[in-house]
Amino acid sequence: MSGWRPVLSVAAACAALLLAVVLHFPGTGDADARVGPSSGSAVEKLEAEQVDRAAEDLDMLRQFSTPARDKRAL
Amino acid sequence: MTAAALLECDAELMLRLREGDDTSFALLLDRHRTPVIHFLYRMVQNQAVAEELAQEVFLRVYRSRASYEPTARFTTWLFRIATHLALNQIRDRRHERSSERLSEDVREGIARQLPDGTLTVEQRLLREAQLAEIRRAIDDLPGKQKAAVLMHKYQEMEYTQIAAVLGCSESAVKSLLFRAYESLRARLAHMA
């Protein structure tokens, strides 16, 4: 049994070394998750236009969804 | 700058373009591109198609520069081309429904109206439904009625100009609008 001690020590040292290597060089992860240059201004412009359109349409809706004056419709 | 001065500037720019000054075209494009796209978007309910059609509108303006005569307002001519292209597009693609894109645009529009998220889920859904309803109601109008409504309500054009764009009389425009608004009221009354 005493002959195994050096082997165990070497194995433990190798495991520790391996662990250190893994921690030092983490996986590359998702190499495809690269964010290219964003067209922020174009997106912002479209968003602003969508808001404007929504506001215009709601205004239209208010103009045309007048309450029914005919009581029979109630 | 007054509206009259702006209109004169449009004609002036076109006359300069006719004489070969391409920078005048860039100024016209910058001034009118957005309202044209907005109009076309509401006509065809598709942003990508609206931008393509807008490109075609200005391409036709540019191609016609040599024969331009300031006999009518520039915007009348512009919207006449836009309306013509949009009505053709609607006629040619009548079988396609853009309801999915309509829904997406409505959702995006709602999401950005109140970025602080003060709308509850129920309010957000209600707002989405309301927007979808008004847009479908307008989209379902016959072509010329829809064009007249969009020019009258969204572009705030006068009857005379709408008549010139549509190539009809002012009384015909009023009749178109009357029928369109009656249809919209009938369809939207339940949302009061």
Side-chain angles (χ1 to χ4, degrees):
Chain A
M1 186 65 183
S2 60
W4 285 100
R5 282 186 183 174
V7 175
L8 289 174
S9 299
V10 170
C14 287
L17 185 61
L18 182 63
L19 184 61
V21 168
V22 167
L23 289 175
H24 187 69
F25 296 106
T28 54
D30 185 4
D32 296 326
R34 292 180 185 175
V35 179
S38 63
S39 56
S41 59
V43 171
E44 284 171 6
K45 186 181 174 189
L46 186 58
E47 290 173 359
E49 287 175 358
Q50 287 169 337
V51 171
D52 286 343
R53 287 171 191 166
E56 286 174 343
D57 289 335
L58 286 174
D59 188 50
M60 275 288 279
L61 182 62
R62 276 189 284 273
Q63 289 182 48
F64 289 100
S65 60
T66 52
R69 293 180 181 177
D70 187 351
K71 292 182 179 177
R72 287 173 297 176
L74 294 175
Chain B
M1 189 181 285
T2 64
L6 275 174
L7 291 173
E8 286 174 0
C9 286
D10 281 345
E12 249 179 50
L13 290 172
M14 273 305 301
L15 289 171
R16 280 187 221 148
L17 177 62
R18 189 179 70 179
E19 301 308 314
D21 178 16
D22 283 353
T23 56
S24 298
F25 182 71
L27 289 171
L28 283 168
L29 193 66
D30 186 60
R31 186 180 293 171
H32 297 288
R33 185 174 178 271
T34 298
V36 166
I37 289 179
H38 280 181
F39 171 77
L40 287 168
Y41 172 79
R42 291 190 180 287
M43 283 292 286
V44 301
Q45 293 292 334
N46 184 303
Q47 182 68 23
V49 172
E51 290 183 5
E52 277 179 27
L53 291 177
Q55 203 167 353
E56 179 63 26
V57 168
F58 288 100
L59 192 60
R60 292 190 182 198
V61 166
Y62 188 77
R63 284 178 180 159
S64 308
R65 65 194 184 284
S67 58
Y68 173 76
E69 291 293 340
T71 53
R73 286 184 186 180
F74 173 77
T75 49
T76 300
W77 179 40
L78 196 65
F79 277 86
R80 187 182 300 148
I81 300 172
T83 303
H84 173 74
L85 289 175
L87 290 176
N88 285 347
Q89 174 74 18
I90 292 167
R91 184 197 62 220
D92 293 345
R93 294 194 173 187
R94 195 168 293 169
H95 61 282
E96 287 184 14
R97 292 293 298 173
S98 59
S99 58
E100 289 181 6
R101 283 184 287 271
L102 186 69
S103 300
E104 184 181 333
D105 188 59
V106 166
R107 280 197 294 273
E108 292 292 322
I110 293 295
R112 282 157 183 80
Q113 262 193 305
L114 291 173
D116 61 350
T118 56
L119 281 181
T120 64
V121 172
E122 290 79 13
Q123 287 172 326
R124 185 184 297 271
L125 288 173
L126 176 62
R127 186 65 61 84
E128 285 180 11
Q130 288 173 331
L131 281 179
E133 189 67 34
I134 178 67
R135 288 175 178 178
R136 258 196 301 270
I138 294 174
D139 195 41
D140 286 346
L141 291 171
K144 278 196 169 181
Q145 282 186 26
K146 181 158 72 170
V149 168
L150 295 180
M151 283 188 276
H152 188 234
K153 284 291 182 183
Y154 291 90
Q155 301 296 327
E156 298 179 330
M157 291 164 74
E158 296 170 1
Y159 296 135
T160 48
Q161 191 174 12
I162 298 172
V165 168
L166 296 178
C168 61
S169 66
E170 198 174 316
S171 60
V173 167
K174 289 178 182 175
S175 175
L176 276 173
L177 288 173
F178 177 80
R179 291 201 300 272
Y181 293 153
E182 284 296 292
S183 295
L184 290 175
R185 283 194 189 95
R187 185 152 171 181
L188 300 171
H190 68 283
M191 302 199 75

